[in-house]
Amino acid sequence: MSVSEPSPIIISSAFAHCSNETTKIRPNLPEEEVKVDMMVVARKRPMRWQQGKIVEIVTRDDGRLKYKVSFEEKGKSLVSGHHIAFDTTPKLEQLYVGARVVVRCQDNKFRFRPATLAELPSRKNRLRFLVFLDDHIPVYVGLPLLHLVCRPLEDVLDDIPDSPHKFFMKQYLKDWPYPRLTQYRAGQSLNVELNGVQQRCEVQVVDCSLIQVVFQDNQHKEWIHRGSIRLEHMARFLDMKGVEENKDDSD
């Protein structure tokens, strides 16, 4: 008879030793100029951004600016300021939790993916940045892979398509700097959602806020955030919490 695993403890992890590691407020710095002939990283498709050059800045009738970008890998696009990112490496003081960034793919330096910054470097994460790509994939990266979006929207989440990931990011930013994390250890079995179905997998590695799991059925391996709504324990916890909050509201 197999003994079912005890549910992991879910903790609100206090995420920093000093305030600048926890900041989720956009720093009040002068806006960097965006001009013609400037190299940028711009959106070509929702999950695919590429390097290009601004060839024209167009002012619309309502006063909004659009940027015509000529991509290095052929093609042109007319995009908004929140769909271009600086081609240069950002300075540390420009970054904050919740910032919209574009991340250069480690396996293909010509591909970039949109993301939201989720952790600044601290002793807790071995001095790395955690980002969530817009498809919910979490990645620890170093500063050289990050590019800051030029003119982010007032609410950065408006740029993420409606999805469970958007719901997750909203909750994550609300909870920060005390994100909810499940506690797992290597070798532990758990259920994780894959392609819409909860599937059995085993924890292989725990790396700060992430775990690497391997799915039993197809040996598929991936990294998952310890607070992800794909974790069965987390989904159940949020369901119960939602029920409690609704009960409180109706009292």
Side-chain angles (χ1 to χ4, degrees):
M1 172 179 126
S2 71
V3 181
S4 74
E5 286 281 339
S7 285
I9 302 161
I10 293 173
I11 55 160
S12 285
S13 174
F15 224 83
H17 307 283
C18 57
S19 61
N20 66 347
E21 291 168 1
T22 63
T23 180
K24 65 171 177 183
I25 295 158
R26 191 176 171 191
N28 189 8
L29 297 168
E31 275 199 332
E32 279 191 58
E33 199 186 350
V34 177
K35 48 188 192 281
V36 172
D37 283 344
M38 188 168 135
M39 289 300 292
V40 290
V41 181
R43 179 177 130 137
K44 203 165 191 184
R45 291 207 288 280
M47 284 305 290
R48 188 162 154 186
W49 293 43
Q50 286 180 5
Q51 277 172 314
K53 183 194 269 190
I54 296 177
V55 291
E56 192 185 343
I57 298 177
V58 180
T59 306
R60 285 277 159 95
D61 294 343
D62 60 6
R64 282 182 312 148
L65 295 180
K66 291 277 189 177
Y67 303 86
K68 187 180 271 187
V69 176
S70 174
F71 291 103
E72 290 190 332
E73 290 185 18
K74 71 180 187 298
K76 285 193 175 86
S77 270
L78 192 64
V79 293
S80 302
H82 60 279
H83 285 155
I84 51 173
F86 295 106
D87 193 39
T88 48
T89 303
K91 297 182 182 72
L92 208 47
E93 66 264 22
Q94 294 174 300
L95 297 171
Y96 57 99
V97 171
R100 279 301 272 173
V101 291
V102 181
V103 183
R104 190 171 80 221
C105 298
Q106 277 159 317
D107 54 353
N108 181 341
K109 64 178 200 278
F110 301 110
R111 293 272 175 280
F112 298 81
R113 307 184 76 182
T116 308
L117 196 54
E119 285 175 16
L120 297 172
S122 74
R123 288 197 305 238
K124 260 195 151 168
N125 59 21
R126 304 213 297 275
L127 298 178
R128 294 169 297 174
F129 294 89
L130 178 67
V131 296
F132 281 104
L133 304 180
D134 282 2
D135 56 7
H136 195 57
I137 292 173
V139 198
Y140 274 122
V141 293
L143 190 61
L145 292 181
L146 293 180
H147 295 266
L148 199 55
V149 165
C150 295
R151 301 287 183 258
L153 295 171
E154 195 62 42
D155 180 352
V156 291
L157 299 180
D158 285 345
D159 208 23
I160 299 175
D162 279 324
S163 60
H165 174 62
K166 185 174 186 167
F167 165 79
F168 167 80
M169 281 312 309
K170 193 173 179 174
Q171 191 63 48
Y172 182 92
L173 293 176
K174 198 168 106 186
D175 291 341
W176 184 264
Y178 304 102
R180 293 197 188 91
L181 297 173
T182 44
Q183 302 277 54
Y184 293 104
R185 59 179 193 283
Q188 194 168 344
S189 293
L190 70 158
N191 289 335
V192 174
E193 180 270 318
L194 182 67
N195 304 326
V197 183
Q198 288 287 342
Q199 301 194 32
R200 205 73 186 142
C201 56
E202 186 180 286
V203 177
Q204 299 241 295
V205 186
V206 178
D207 177 8
C208 303
S209 300
L210 307 184
I211 50 174
Q212 188 184 47
V213 299
V214 59
F215 287 87
Q216 278 175 3
D217 275 359
N218 55 6
Q219 297 303 297
H220 165 70
K221 263 188 201 178
E222 64 173 297
W223 288 97
I224 293 178
H225 186 258
R226 293 196 286 123
S228 171
I229 40 186
R230 291 177 57 200
L231 302 169
E232 186 186 39
H233 297 121
M234 203 68 203
R236 265 198 304 207
F237 168 76
L238 291 172
D239 282 348
M240 278 171 11
K241 195 170 162 291
V243 168
E244 279 170 23
E245 282 173 2
N246 286 343
K247 212 168 76 186
D248 291 347
D249 290 347
S250 61
D251 281 355

